[in-house]
Amino acid sequence: MKLIALNDFHGNLLPPRDPTLLPDRPGQPDIPVPLGGASYISTAVAQLKAANPRNVVVAAGDLISASPLQSSLFHDEPAIAVMNGIGLEFSAVGNHEFDRGRGALLRMQRGGCAEDGTLGQDTCVNGPFPGAAFRYMAANVVDETGTPLLPAVGIKTFIVDGRMPLSIGFIGLTLEGTPELVNRTGIAGLRFLDEAETINREAAALTKQGVRAIVVLIHEGGEPPVGADLDDESCPGFAGAITGIVAKLDPAIDLVISGHTHRVYRCRLPTADPARTILVTGAGSAGRYLTDIDLQLAADTGDVLSAAARNVPIVNDSAANVRPDRYPPLAPEPKVAAIVAEFDRRSRERSLQPVGRIASALSRQQDTAGEMPLGYVIADAQLAAAAKQADRRADFALMNPGGVRAELAPLDAAGTVTYGQVYTVQPFGGALMTMTLSGTQIDALLEQQWRADGRYAILLPSQGFEYAWRASAPLGARIDPASIRLRGKPLSPTGRYRVNVNAFLANGGDGFRVLLEGTERVEFGIDRDVLIDYLSAQPVKPPKLGRIRRLD
């Protein structure tokens, strides 16, 4: 049996702008190769299917949202349309499937019109929307009655040479921590259950039905160390939440297809049984790779005898190809290419509209201290917008790094940036909020940048606010309170400060629960519109660094 897997597509109908570094000849530096694009994915899927007629196309979540304009402008219906065209059959939900709330997710599955008229048109912006032809699965997401919001499992059965049917069961789920990654108002009433417990429960139910080959599609993942040999399936140094989940899985689980971390890997990870490992795969993000998985099943029992995987780069012809002998480009598949072309055409006029200027490129990469030039500019823009309204003025603004989705680079010598570029940087269109916190609460908020599971999110402050931290200090004591300064002066523990954040953070997103305690909350503006206003006022220069200092 052949499984063809992807994850974290994020509505990237067109190839991502930046090429991917891939290995060249031994001893030679890596070379940039253009990867991705929905029509090229479709071609690659068709080629892999042709190699084995007994196949399934699956995904591990985040197919939609945090998307470029060509998809997001149309409520991510284009992303679903291309997945239908590619032939996707089963997908786990990811945290981004919940960005617009449970109702919007159910509409993605079932079809129907969007509830808003954001384009100033009929709410059926693309005509009748049929929904996903594939099955979204959410085994660990239950509603107020304890019922899964979407199906927990899917089964595909094959008849091989007229013999007994062979079935593969798929369990789909998202990470338990999804509520910390989305706006909580959209998931009110939903519960997100423990991943390993859910998988084992559903595996037992599948086994009772006679399914002996069980595959997990989970929107949670891990990270190989920088410079790791991706051909070494032992994956030394591999880390991340998926390792702890796999270690608890029932022996009935044969394969784990993962996502969320946007990394490329295929690893044999240890389980509770020291003599047993499970193959765990991840296919990066934005459609740059597919994972080609071959399962050998016993003809008499349906048990998995072996599992092998390789990650296949989706080489496109969007730029001059480098080393076509090593990385031959795929041709676009016509039917999916037509879908992409239609939505690209419909979004192009708005996408190419100039909205501002920047003096030079603004990076979204964080350095070892956590500083990010583009994140600082966004925070500065939000503070400036708040200052224009007396009842919404803030002392400082904070931006979450995960909300900055792309870098911002000028298109010409004049420094022009377009609406489409800004949209790609901030695709969520979230509201902004100003609230009051005490100095003590701000200190506690900054400590919440690091969590017990090893994850972290370094908040990006506006100009005039600074702080310092120590990596070697214990959790809860990494910030030097004396280093927290506003316009050069230390915060008073009992002082009252007006803080501006986006709605995602204001509702406790990324685990910043202190923000739920904020008082005198006043909402205003949309993050993307505020950034456009800031860029249109004057050519924006890269901000001076030094707002965040790492002390060790």
Side-chain angles (χ1 to χ4, degrees):
M1 309 296 175
K2 182 176 290 294
L3 275 58
I4 305 164
L6 73 157
N7 54 271
D8 296 272
F9 178 64
H10 289 294
N12 278 268
L13 276 61
L14 296 170
R17 288 178 176 271
D18 298 331
T20 302
L21 292 175
L22 296 181
D24 194 7
R25 298 182 182 91
Q28 297 297 313
D30 292 347
I31 54 176
V33 180
L35 301 185
S39 62
Y40 303 95
I41 297 171
S42 188
T43 296
V45 167
Q47 291 178 353
L48 292 171
K49 282 185 171 184
N52 189 338
R54 293 184 285 274
N55 56 69
V56 194
V57 184
V58 298
D62 275 10
L63 301 177
I64 61 174
S65 197
S67 309
L69 189 71
Q70 293 83 5
S71 183
S72 187
L73 187 62
F74 305 103
H75 310 295
D76 271 319
E77 292 175 17
I80 299 298
V82 299
M83 287 296 113
N84 289 345
I86 285 166
L88 182 64
E89 297 179 60
F90 302 103
S91 179
V93 296
N95 55 285
H96 281 288
E97 262 79 20
F98 292 93
D99 280 342
R100 297 182 179 96
R102 75 155 93 177
L105 170 55
L106 293 176
R107 189 181 76 86
M108 290 290 99
Q109 178 69 85
R110 301 168 183 170
C113 297
E115 295 180 355
D116 62 75
T118 54
L119 299 181
Q121 305 170 6
D122 187 284
T123 54
C124 285
V125 295
N126 311 312
F129 173 56
F134 55 91
R135 175 180 292 186
Y136 262 129
M137 299 184 293
N140 67 330
V141 185
V142 297
D143 64 17
E144 294 84 348
T145 69
T147 304
L149 180 69
L150 289 161
V153 302
I155 300 173
K156 184 160 185 179
T157 300
F158 302 88
I159 303 297
V160 182
D161 300 328
R163 292 177 290 183
M164 66 169 282
L166 298 178
S167 296
I168 301 177
F170 297 93
I171 303 169
L173 67 164
T174 188
L175 69 158
E176 184 182 6
T178 291
E180 294 188 352
L181 301 174
V182 301
N183 194 323
R184 289 174 178 267
T185 58
I187 58 169
L190 297 180
R191 290 187 295 128
F192 293 76
L193 309 179
D194 179 89
E195 302 99 334
E197 291 178 4
T198 300
I199 293 168
N200 291 339
R201 182 182 66 248
E202 297 299 336
L206 286 170
T207 301
K208 285 183 179 180
Q209 296 179 53
V211 178
R212 304 298 296 272
I214 300 177
V215 176
V216 172
L217 309 176
I218 181 170
H219 193 70
E220 180 60 287
E223 300 192 29
V226 176
D229 180 1
L230 298 182
D231 291 325
D232 182 357
E233 291 188 351
S234 67
C235 295
F238 187 85
I242 195 65
T243 60
I245 296 169
V246 168
K248 300 175 185 176
L249 294 187
D250 188 281
I253 305 302
D254 298 295
L255 170 70
V256 175
I257 296 170
S258 66
H260 188 53
T261 57
H262 292 197
R263 299 296 296 274
V264 180
Y265 50 82
R266 51 188 179 94
C267 298
R268 307 267 175 185
L269 296 185
T271 66
D273 178 356
R276 182 174 182 267
T277 61
I278 297 178
L279 178 61
V280 180
T281 67
S285 66
R288 294 181 178 92
Y289 291 85
L290 290 175
T291 306
D292 175 19
I293 305 166
D294 289 315
L295 295 181
Q296 183 181 1
L297 274 59
D300 53 346
T301 66
D303 287 306
V304 173
L305 301 177
S306 66
R310 65 188 181 105
N311 282 306
V312 180
I314 306 303
V315 181
N316 63 59
D317 57 5
S318 64
N321 190 257
V322 180
R323 291 293 309 277
D325 57 322
R326 182 168 174 81
Y327 298 109
L330 297 160
E333 189 276 314
K335 290 183 179 179
V336 171
I339 298 171
V340 173
E342 171 64 12
F343 288 106
D344 185 38
R345 179 191 65 78
R346 291 173 61 184
S347 64
R348 183 171 294 274
E349 181 178 354
R350 192 166 186 184
S351 177
L352 296 179
Q353 177 185 355
V355 295
R357 290 185 295 160
I358 55 178
S360 60
L362 299 172
S363 173
R364 68 185 288 257
Q365 296 299 316
Q366 288 188 280
D367 63 17
T368 56
E371 296 199 285
M372 180 204 296
L374 182 51
Y376 284 166
V377 168
I378 292 171
D380 290 345
Q382 293 175 2
L383 183 65
K388 295 177 181 179
Q389 305 176 61
D391 61 339
R392 291 163 173 78
R393 287 178 183 167
D395 293 300
F396 63 94
L398 293 170
M399 180 62 192
N400 57 307
V404 186
R405 305 302 298 189
E407 74 166 10
L408 193 60
L411 292 181
D412 54 30
T416 302
V417 293
T418 64
Y419 182 84
Q421 287 179 284
V422 177
Y423 198 105
T424 302
V425 170
Q426 291 200 281
F428 301 113
L432 300 175
M433 182 174 291
T434 301
M435 65 179 69
T436 298
L437 294 174
S438 70
T440 297
Q441 287 173 315
I442 292 168
D443 183 18
L445 171 67
L446 295 178
E447 292 291 356
Q448 288 183 340
Q449 295 176 122
W450 299 274
R451 299 162 216 166
D453 63 4
R455 300 187 187 196
Y456 62 92
I458 305 297
L459 292 170
L460 303 156
S462 57
Q463 187 175 14
F465 185 90
E466 61 184 82
Y467 64 91
W469 61 280
R470 293 186 183 277
S472 60
L475 283 176
R478 292 190 172 172
I479 298 293
D480 176 7
S483 74
I484 308 174
R485 293 178 175 268
L486 178 63
R487 294 184 287 275
K489 297 180 179 180
L491 298 189
S492 165
T494 59
R496 290 165 54 84
Y497 301 93
R498 296 291 281 166
V499 184
N500 180 254
V501 293
N502 56 44
F504 168 69
L505 284 174
N507 286 298
D510 273 345
F512 292 106
R513 296 182 179 274
V514 168
L515 290 170
L516 294 170
E517 304 170 7
T519 60
E520 302 172 291
R521 298 159 76 96
V522 182
E523 188 175 293
F524 75 99
I526 300 299
D527 55 9
R528 181 171 56 246
D529 297 341
V530 161
L531 179 57
I532 287 172
D533 288 344
Y534 189 73
L535 295 173
S536 66
Q538 70 281 312
V540 174
K541 300 178 181 179
K544 183 179 179 181
L545 300 181
R547 302 179 193 182
I548 305 171
R549 292 178 293 117
R550 180 172 173 171
L551 302 178
D552 63 4

